[in-house]
Amino acid sequence: MSVLDKRSADQRHPRPEQGPGAPPEAEAAGSTAGPAKSAPEGSRSRRRGLPLALNAVSVALGIAIWWALAAAGFKLPTPPEVVDRATTLISDGTLADDALASLTRVLIGFALGTAVAVPVGFLMGWYGILRGLIEPWIQFFRTIPPLAIIPLAVVAMGIDETPKIFVIFLAAFLACVISTFQGVVNVDRTLINAARVLGAGDATIFARVVVPASTPFILVGMRVGLGSAWATLVAAELIAAQEGLGYRMQNAQLYYDLPTIFVGLISIGILGLLMDRVLLLAERRLTRWQERR
């Protein structure tokens, strides 16, 4: 009897457990099949909600510690004082103008730094000759803080927006180029050799093997570069700026206006956190193939 004949015979004479007189054990097994499949979905949703709950607890705990330190006599404004000052700055439009000015500078400097760092990092990692020519200069400028470049930037570029954006660009570039370079260097040679055996050329290997394998390193470098860009912002806005969160904080320092300083700090932290979460979301979308803990 062939396989097809056996299947047709089974359909004409179903087994007892498949018919209407199936034992209770089979019915129980069938009834529990649905919840068993949905159990992983419930556990997955719980895993997603746990970090958010922990974040909320962490924020509440931080505010409580801050309030306790202010009440204990430390020279800190209380949270209500900061909220009151933030309300004033929001109502007269000052905070929105400062945040827009600072965000524009960071976005332009960060975008330019990343756009230059990624191809330079790829070239350094893929071509040994270019690595030997470029790497000493990268390492040289890495030892010089971007803030130390401000006097040179002012003399060479004037006091308009150009020097501010340049020092932010430099901070983002130096952080991202090293990460991209390391991503290319650390690509598994087995993958490259396997692609060559299959007949792939350099362009195909670079586009289909090196770039995907280096993407996690590039995104990590972008996140580090974003943090460096925001860290450089306050000093960059000291260069004859008339608006911006860093400028507002420096101006408040002259009058010992602590609530305004705290509003600036919190605003920079929130904007930086939101931008970092956007990069983190892009990292998860672009590196779905990567195993995560």
Side-chain angles (χ1 to χ4, degrees):
M1 181 181 296
S2 65
V3 176
L4 295 177
D5 294 335
K6 290 182 179 179
R7 290 182 178 176
S8 60
D10 290 338
Q11 292 176 357
R12 289 193 302 266
H13 305 286
R15 296 178 181 178
E17 58 271 20
Q18 295 177 350
E25 292 81 359
E27 296 179 359
S31 62
T32 57
K37 293 180 180 179
S38 61
E41 297 179 359
S43 61
R44 195 177 299 116
S45 62
R46 286 194 297 270
R47 287 197 300 268
R48 292 172 184 167
L50 181 59
L52 295 177
L54 292 177
N55 291 340
V57 171
S58 177
V59 171
L61 183 61
I63 295 176
I65 294 174
W66 167 23
W67 206 328
L69 292 175
F74 287 87
K75 292 183 178 181
L76 297 174
T78 61
E81 292 175 348
V82 175
V83 172
D84 182 66
R85 181 55 55 87
T87 303
T88 302
L89 294 176
I90 291 174
S91 61
D92 60 14
T94 302
L95 185 59
D97 294 339
D98 290 338
L100 181 61
S102 297
L103 187 61
T104 301
R105 291 166 184 149
V106 169
L107 285 176
I108 294 175
F110 172 72
L112 292 176
T114 303
V116 176
V118 171
V120 171
F122 275 130
L123 292 175
M124 288 174 56
W126 191 249
Y127 298 104
I129 296 177
L130 293 178
R131 182 189 313 174
L133 292 175
I134 299 175
E135 187 177 11
W137 292 103
I138 297 295
Q139 299 299 336
F140 172 78
F141 281 104
R142 281 187 65 214
T143 60
I144 302 176
L147 304 183
I149 307 294
I150 291 179
L152 176 61
V154 172
V155 174
M157 303 177 185
I159 58 175
D160 57 358
E161 292 296 311
T162 304
K164 304 178 187 65
I165 294 176
F166 175 74
V167 293
I168 296 174
F169 155 82
L170 190 61
F173 169 79
L174 293 174
C176 190
V177 68
I178 294 298
S179 182
T180 304
F181 164 69
Q182 290 297 329
V184 177
V185 172
N186 290 333
V187 174
D188 191 354
R189 298 296 304 181
T190 304
L191 299 176
I192 298 177
N193 294 333
R196 292 192 188 279
V197 169
L198 295 174
D202 286 346
T204 303
I205 293 174
F206 186 80
R208 304 294 295 271
V209 177
V210 177
V211 172
S214 305
T215 300
F217 290 86
I218 296 172
L219 293 171
V220 170
M222 291 176 64
R223 295 180 65 190
V224 176
L226 178 62
S228 300
W230 279 107
T232 312
L233 172 68
V234 175
E237 290 182 340
L238 291 175
I239 309 175
Q242 297 300 321
E243 59 181 355
L245 296 173
Y247 161 77
R248 193 66 54 191
M249 293 167 59
Q250 294 293 334
N251 192 43
Q253 178 188 359
L254 301 176
Y255 303 97
Y256 295 93
D257 188 359
L258 290 179
T260 300
I261 295 176
F262 266 69
V263 171
L265 289 174
I266 294 173
S267 300
I268 291 175
I270 292 176
L271 291 175
L273 180 62
L274 293 176
M275 294 177 67
D276 180 78
R277 287 297 178 264
V278 172
L279 289 177
L280 186 60
L281 179 61
E283 178 183 357
R284 291 177 178 174
R285 293 290 180 87
L286 295 175
T287 60
R288 291 179 177 177
W289 51 267
Q290 193 177 25
E291 294 184 1
R292 301 182 183 276
R293 297 179 58 183

